[in-house]
Amino acid sequence: MSKETMWIAFPNGGILPAAITGGKDREVAAHDPVSVPADYGKHLVHDRFAYEAKPKGKAAKASGGDSAEARQRLEATLAGLRKKVEEAQDVAEKAKLAEQVAAVEKKIADLAAGA
């Protein structure tokens, strides 16, 4: 396995398996950046379970390019959430997903207002 790593974050939280962490399964909060092996991270990003992130503490003031990337990630997340809302059968699950859609829409609006 390659020693190359990358930073990812889960839009809705996730679990890193013991095979990746080298110990126990690890729960990761939503949008919390974590370092993982690059092959595993690319797999999660490709399947839209996660997105590429920057490590905490190293984030500088967002430039125009970073803002555009963030907006694209949020729009991809929003599209996925809207699809889940359409497919959801349970009323409570639909309501929860609708709240997440509203939160992502607010983040996109905030990002646009700051640009």
Side-chain angles (χ1 to χ4, degrees), residues 4-108:
E4 183 182 351
T5 62
M6 68 182 289
W7 288 86
I8 62 165
F10 295 96
N12 299 311
I15 298 174
L16 294 176
I20 297 300
T21 63
K24 295 182 180 178
D25 287 356
R26 177 178 166 205
E27 290 189 33
V28 180
H31 306 289
D32 189 19
V34 292
S35 179
V36 297
D39 292 341
Y40 181 71
K42 289 175 186 174
H43 166 73
L44 291 176
V45 170
H46 181 266
D47 289 344
R48 296 188 179 177
F49 290 115
Y51 60 90
E52 255 188 276
K54 294 185 179 172
K56 284 185 180 179
K58 295 188 179 182
K61 180 78 175 162
S63 67
D66 291 341
S67 178
E69 287 177 22
R71 184 180 176 107
Q72 286 178 337
R73 282 195 308 266
L74 286 172
E75 288 175 350
T77 300
L78 182 60
L81 285 172
R82 286 182 174 157
K83 184 176 179 182
K84 286 181 181 180
V85 168
E86 291 175 12
E87 295 172 351
Q89 299 295 322
D90 183 39
V91 175
E93 183 180 355
K94 276 191 177 190
K96 182 179 175 184
L97 289 168
E99 288 176 12
Q100 291 176 354
V101 166
V104 172
E105 287 173 337
K106 183 182 182 319
K107 285 181 184 180
I108 291 173

